[in-house]
Structures are given as C-alpha cells and as structure tokens.
Amino acid sequence: GKVELGGLRAPPTPALWDQMEREAQQTIAGVGARKKECDWMGFRPTMPDALPVIGRSRTVPAVLYAFGHQHVGWTLGGITGQLIAEIVQGTEPSVDLAPYRLDRFRLFGGGW
C-alpha cells in the first residue's frame, strides 16, 4: 500500500493506484488488472508527533494505552505487546515510555 496525506476531502491520486497495480503484477504471478471502480481509500488516524501512545492511564490505572502506531502497527505490535506485558507484570519496561505517554498532548490541565 501507499500513504497519501491529502486531507479528508481530497480524492485518491490515480497514479498511486496505477503504481500499486504495476508492482503487484510484477511481484505476484497471475495478478491481473484491477477493477478501477472498486478502488477504495480509507483514513487512518495519525498522531501529531508520529509516535504511538503506550502506557497506563493516569486517571484510571486499569486502562492501558497502546495505539497510534501510524501505518506500522503490525511492525511495532510485538514490542508494544511486550511493553504492555511488562507494565501488567509490574516490571520495569525495557524501553523508556516517557516519550510515548498520552499526557504529552495534555492541554489546559486535562488529565488522562
């Protein structure tokens, strides 16, 4: 797939669809032409600083956060799962979670 940061109202860029079609045909034997009327584009949430949110809620300690991995959720899923497991087990996380805290976005004294 491709990432296209065009806004909520922008239509998909046909050149990207054409490129994906060519790449699929070159990579996977037997892939035919796509049905252009079935082209679809979905929206994914993106964190403002491009870092995921990982850690415990400050206001509801039973709630653990693990979201906002941009377009690499599958790639970061393993380490995120390990970090959440370490939090649940009460052990020191193997990575400093300070950069991933939700309250890095806190404005006007709101608590999360």
Side-chain angles (χ1 to χ4, degrees), residues 52-75:
V53 174
I54 304 171
R56 191 177 295 278
S57 167
R58 292 179 61 195
T59 56
V60 184
V63 172
L64 299 173
Y65 299 125
F67 65 90
H69 291 78
Q70 313 299 66
H71 303 273
V72 290
W74 286 101
T75 304

Side-chain angles (χ1 to χ4, degrees), residues 30-110:
V31 171
R34 77 181 194 274
K35 295 179 182 178
K36 293 183 180 187
E37 66 274 9
C38 294
D39 289 355
W40 177 85
M41 182 172 77
F43 297 105
R44 293 185 178 189
T46 300
M47 303 309 294
D49 60 0
L51 294 175
V53 174
I54 304 171
R56 191 177 295 278
S57 167
R58 292 179 61 195
T59 56
V60 184
V63 172
L64 299 173
Y65 299 125
F67 65 90
H69 291 78
Q70 313 299 66
H71 303 273
V72 290
W74 286 101
T75 304
L76 296 177
I79 184 63
T80 300
Q82 176 183 328
L83 293 168
I84 293 297
E86 291 168 352
I87 294 169
V88 169
Q89 294 168 356
T91 61
E92 185 71 25
S94 53
V95 172
D96 178 14
L97 295 180
Y100 308 104
R101 290 173 39 167
L102 180 61
D103 64 3
R104 71 185 189 262
F105 301 115
R106 188 173 63 199
L107 299 174
F108 313 112

